[in-house]
Amino acid sequence: MPEILYFGPGCPGDDISLSAERASRINGMDVSVPSAVLLPVGGLGFFGWPALAGHRNGRDFLLNVQDWQVERTTMGVVLRGRDRVAAIAVAFELAIHDCGVVATAVSVTNHGTETYTLDRCMAATMAVGDGPAVLTSLSGMWGREFRLSSEPLGRGLWMQESRRGRTSHDRFPGLFLTSGRTTYAIHVGASGNHQLAVDLLDDGCRLVHGGELFEPGEVLLEAGQSYHSPQAYLTASFEGVDGAASRLRAVVDKSILDWPDVTARPRPVTFNTWEGSYFDHRLDALKAQAEVAAELGVERFVLDDGWFGRRDDDTSSLGDWSVDHRKYPSGLGPLIDHVIGLGMEFGLWFEPEMVSPDSDLYRAHPDWALGIAGRPRPLSRHQLVLDLTRQDVSDYLFDRIDAVLEGQRISYVKWDMNRDLTNAGGVDGRAVTASQTRALHALMERVRKRHPAVEIESCASGGGRANYGVLRHTHRIWTSDCTDALERLEIQRGATHFFPPSILGAHISGSPNHQTGRRHSLAFRAVVALAYHLGVELDPLTLAPDERRELAQWISLHKRLRPLLHASGASFAGDPVDGRYVWGAAMPDRIALFVAQGPTMLAEQPPPLRVAVPQATARSWRIAAVHPAAPAFIRVSSGQQALLAGDSDFSLDTLRHAGLALPMLRPESGVILEIEPV
Ligand code: GLA
């Protein structure tokens, strides 16, 4: 297999001498075998974790791919090799993006006459330098996804496997690995089961692998058939996890979000009906909410769950994608017209992959749900998953979604997915998760082709389906079902390690918060949401006049700062220090700096605020505006007053290294500083 000579910034180029074979031999083997190879397989005399594995009814249980050919492509290379004994061909595609991210994908083709069972095929293998290494990954649960944690790597194999049939809340398909002065990152752009492995080699280096995870016998390649992996994304930086994360955000902005019409226009401020109305859809109330939303400055009104079938709670109607005429006697038209008449776009919630046992669809087609004959089908949120790999199911869903969108001025779909896949067996009783997720992407693509002006949000009970694969068909991610601003500090910080703020939905919701019961000031809720794809998710009719005024001001501030906050490559974030979180965006001529305090500070004096702002060029800067006008600071000295009033200049080196003497904030409060060149 091709050897990885070096992976990282500052690649030495052609002079890296590499024709010389390694002198050492492993465990006395008579041939020297390189261990840092792309897709190591057992057939090499390689004793580590194989990245490719399969068999033909027990035979051809190892591969030795040879006869490699190199084909140059516009963005990289395709390496093709063959194992003539096993009659298996492998193609490794590699594309290099300008922002320093490498995208890879692997295909395996069966050239034999008998079925080949593909047990494993990683989409990427990356070599990491030797020595101690610290691994940073994202874990969590529903309502608390994207939780960053770091651990030193030991000598064993580190493995993460996710079997939920979606990227999941608990095991995000990506990680950072810091070894020596380099931080490496990998992300698998897949919506289904995945596997990440970090394997220690004999020379102390490590191989990091990422790809799909298959159930036993899930991928059978008949004669002539191929498996195509999802794409994986790799990068490395000398600027730590933040440096690697900013490259990943850049690849999303520049290469994954293939929506020129969308990047060209600002992300519309969204109003979502879920937490304000839940299943209680009353046309008059919704119209009145829309009126207030428009006055607040909202640009898109999204009608969430509850508009179809007879869906008065979460126990019924998924699959029956026609308007509930009890709630909307003349269809959705009057509400859509009203919303559009107020100057907003209209969006609608769907959960296409699901079916409620209490639905007309299920009564007519109980066999359309995934399951294993003879076994119960476990319900989750009272629902089952449809088998999208069946053409009739996929056609039905396309037709239903098309019928709702057709002729209506709907420009946005919130595409939800509220349960894990379990017992995911298809018609022939074999596992289908890998093909189900491909069928999902194909269905999204079909809807997009038919309705190119419709944007799609990827939601799975919040951020349960967030990955670069689904982002090729969608426009934003619902970051989390938890809208509590305190929780969101960590959730959003974690999510921005892989996604730019412009595509992460962040809503200002009611107080007390519906998930945690915490009460927060409107200012804190707004500061925490404002840098992302901003939304409002509460019943605006319940707001007092002064709250309406304040909310309108925050929305207007967001709109003013949005070109900076959502500019490609502008965003930054630091590690929290003593419960104080810092994030924002910088351009050569202005900086928006967000500071929020989670728990009470331990330090009697706040540590200087240091921020690794990128890009900005001017020599002298000052604070030009502070939002809210009276932040919840504790003890402000006269010098700090002068700083906040814009009377003290500072250099960016001060901001980066020495730090600003910002006063301490009360717990669960925040401030936005607009910083400009003097
Ligand atoms: C999921 C979503 C929520 C909301 C509900 C509706 O939980 O994440 O935002 O749409 O479904 O049932």
Side-chain angles (χ1 to χ4, degrees):
M1 304 295 274
E3 189 175 359
I4 309 171
L5 302 172
Y6 173 77
F7 183 84
C11 188
D14 289 346
D15 59 330
I16 192 164
S17 150
L18 305 174
S19 31
E21 272 185 38
R22 305 287 175 97
S24 55
R25 294 172 296 157
I26 297 171
N27 287 349
M29 299 284 293
D30 287 348
V31 286
S32 60
V33 178
S35 48
V37 293
L38 280 178
L39 305 174
V41 284
L44 296 165
F46 171 81
F47 299 104
W49 191 80
L52 259 182
H55 63 96
R56 227 183 271 285
N57 201 12
R59 293 187 306 282
D60 295 330
F61 62 94
L62 50 79
L63 296 176
N64 194 349
V65 188
Q66 295 175 326
D67 305 333
W68 286 94
Q69 316 245 317
V70 179
E71 180 196 320
R72 290 195 185 276
T73 58
T74 37
M75 290 186 65
V77 290
V78 183
L79 309 177
R80 292 179 210 283
R82 240 171 205 268
D83 181 331
R84 291 187 186 276
V85 177
I88 291 294
V90 173
F92 184 90
E93 285 173 53
L94 183 147
I96 301 167
H97 293 272
D98 291 343
C99 55
V101 171
V102 173
T104 66
V106 176
S107 330
V108 173
T109 304
N110 177 12
H111 289 295
T113 49
E114 286 172 53
T115 309
Y116 182 78
T117 305
L118 186 65
D119 290 331
R120 180 188 300 160
C121 175
M122 292 294 100
T125 296
M126 168 174 73
V128 169
D130 60 331
V134 173
L135 181 138
T136 303
S137 60
L138 299 175
S139 58
M141 57 173 269
W142 171 79
R144 188 57 187 83
E145 52 274 78
F146 303 118
R147 179 181 162 273
L148 273 177
S149 60
S150 294
E151 57 191 292
L153 276 182
R155 297 199 52 81
L157 173 70
W158 185 94
M159 178 77 76
Q160 173 179 285
E161 296 187 340
S162 177
R163 293 190 160 77
R164 293 182 185 271
R166 49 183 181 175
T167 40
S168 86
H169 299 83
D170 63 327
R171 296 167 193 208
F172 181 78
L175 58 81
F176 298 88
L177 210 148
T178 304
S179 167
R181 64 179 185 136
T182 312
T183 296
Y184 307 83
I186 183 170
H187 168 64
V188 183
S191 286
N193 295 338
H194 75 262
Q195 187 164 33
L196 295 172
V198 184
D199 193 20
L200 185 69
L201 302 175
D202 299 278
D203 60 2
C205 295
R206 290 183 165 87
L207 284 184
V208 182
H209 310 277
E212 276 186 294
L213 174 70
F214 307 140
E215 296 288 0
E218 182 170 0
V219 181
L220 299 182
L221 299 179
E222 304 302 339
Q225 281 187 336
S226 301
Y227 163 80
H228 300 282
S229 81
Q231 280 198 307
Y233 299 82
L234 310 170
T235 194
S237 164
F238 291 146
E239 276 94 47
V241 169
D242 287 341
S246 79
R247 287 166 179 241
L248 291 171
R249 288 194 295 267
V251 85
V252 174
D253 266 336
K254 293 186 178 133
S255 309
I256 302 211
L257 298 172
D258 187 19
W259 313 105
D261 52 328
V262 169
T263 42
R265 71 190 188 103
R267 309 288 58 228
V269 176
T270 296
F271 173 81
N272 183 291
T273 59
W274 181 239
E275 287 194 17
S277 301
Y278 293 107
F279 295 101
D280 183 12
H281 288 213
R282 275 167 297 159
L283 189 54
D284 286 350
L286 289 169
K287 281 183 168 176
Q289 289 185 29
E291 282 159 28
V292 180
E295 280 165 28
L296 292 171
V298 166
E299 297 159 311
R300 173 185 282 159
F301 178 101
V302 179
L303 186 65
D304 209 281
D305 197 354
W307 58 267
F308 55 91
R310 296 177 72 81
R311 180 107 164 144
D312 295 329
D313 54 35
D314 62 8
T315 61
S316 85
S317 302
L318 294 171
D320 297 345
W321 299 111
S322 46
V323 177
D324 182 346
H325 285 279
R326 295 170 310 156
K327 297 176 183 171
Y328 301 94
S330 311
L332 292 175
L335 181 60
I336 296 176
D337 290 345
H338 187 69
V339 164
I340 291 176
L342 291 164
M344 296 183 288
E345 298 176 11
F346 187 86
L348 195 59
W349 182 93
F350 283 91
E351 196 179 356
E353 295 138 86
M354 298 296 159
V355 64
S356 311
D358 180 7
S359 66
D360 292 342
L361 180 68
Y362 188 76
R363 282 182 280 274
H365 300 286
D367 55 319
W368 279 13
L370 292 173
I372 299 169
R375 296 189 188 281
R377 295 165 170 170
L379 291 173
S380 173
R381 208 192 187 204
H382 316 284
Q383 60 200 55
L384 295 168
V385 186
L386 291 167
D387 182 354
L388 264 59
T389 67
R390 291 176 59 141
Q391 195 58 46
D392 48 359
V393 175
S394 182
D395 287 345
Y396 167 83
L397 291 172
F398 175 77
D399 291 344
R400 293 313 312 146
I401 297 170
D402 182 40
V404 175
L405 299 184
E406 191 62 41
Q408 302 271 27
R409 290 182 291 165
I410 298 174
S411 49
Y412 184 77
V413 165
K414 177 174 174 182
W415 191 302
D416 212 337
M417 194 256 195
N418 283 316
R419 64 159 292 174
D420 295 321
L421 267 54
T422 53
N423 292 17
V427 196
D428 60 3
R430 286 172 41 218
V432 294
T433 304
S435 33
Q436 170 87 357
T437 47
R438 283 165 178 72
L440 162 80
H441 289 179
L443 180 60
M444 286 176 160
E445 199 48 28
R446 202 170 157 197
V447 170
R448 280 281 310 162
K449 279 221 169 80
R450 179 64 160 258
H451 301 279
V454 173
E455 290 186 15
I456 301 179
E457 169 174 22
S458 176
C459 175
S461 309
R465 186 155 63 200
N467 65 78
Y468 298 178
V470 83
L471 275 180
R472 291 203 173 275
H473 314 284
T474 53
H475 302 76
R476 87 164 200 168
I477 288 160
W478 177 227
T479 316
S480 176
D481 271 354
C482 183
T483 55
D484 176 309
L486 180 65
E487 300 289 335
R488 278 283 184 139
L489 287 174
E490 272 292 315
I491 294 169
Q492 290 166 185
R493 186 174 92 89
T496 48
H497 280 69
F498 288 90
F499 304 103
S502 57
I503 60 155
L504 293 172
H507 293 179
I508 298 171
S509 63
S511 177
N513 181 268
H514 289 201
Q515 289 77 39
T516 63
R518 285 196 192 101
R519 290 171 193 276
H520 287 133
S521 69
L522 181 50
F524 182 54
R525 285 174 278 153
V527 168
V528 172
L530 217 86
Y532 302 87
H533 185 166
L534 182 66
V536 174
E537 189 166 335
L538 44 72
D539 180 353
L541 302 175
T542 61
L543 294 175
D546 59 330
E547 287 177 308
R548 282 193 198 181
R549 261 193 307 280
E550 188 186 339
L551 183 51
Q553 281 164 6
W554 286 114
I555 291 174
S556 138
L557 176 66
H558 168 78
K559 288 181 180 169
R560 184 162 64 70
L561 295 179
R562 183 167 54 185
L564 165 66
L565 297 172
H566 293 176
S568 183
S571 69
F572 61 83
D575 286 336
V577 175
D578 204 351
R580 187 173 64 190
Y581 290 73
V582 186
W583 68 100
M587 300 273 261
D589 60 342
R590 56 196 187 124
I591 298 171
L593 183 57
F594 290 64
V595 186
Q597 185 66 36
T600 309
M601 266 194 174
L602 283 174
E604 286 230 26
Q605 290 192 338
L609 183 81
R610 297 190 185 92
V611 196
V613 287
Q615 289 197 20
T617 48
R619 289 174 64 88
S620 236
W621 295 71
R622 66 184 176 92
I623 293 177
V626 176
H627 312 281
F633 284 133
I634 305 172
R635 292 187 297 272
V636 187
S637 70
S638 54
Q640 288 169 330
Q641 254 158 13
L643 176 73
L644 292 165
D647 296 335
S648 295
D649 303 347
F650 51 88
S651 72
L652 281 194
D653 277 344
T654 300
L655 182 57
R656 287 185 181 123
H657 308 304
L660 292 188
L662 200 73
M664 188 186 286
L665 280 161
R666 283 190 192 283
E668 297 172 34
S669 75
V671 63
I672 303 170
L673 305 175
E674 289 187 71
I675 302 179
E676 286 177 0
V678 175

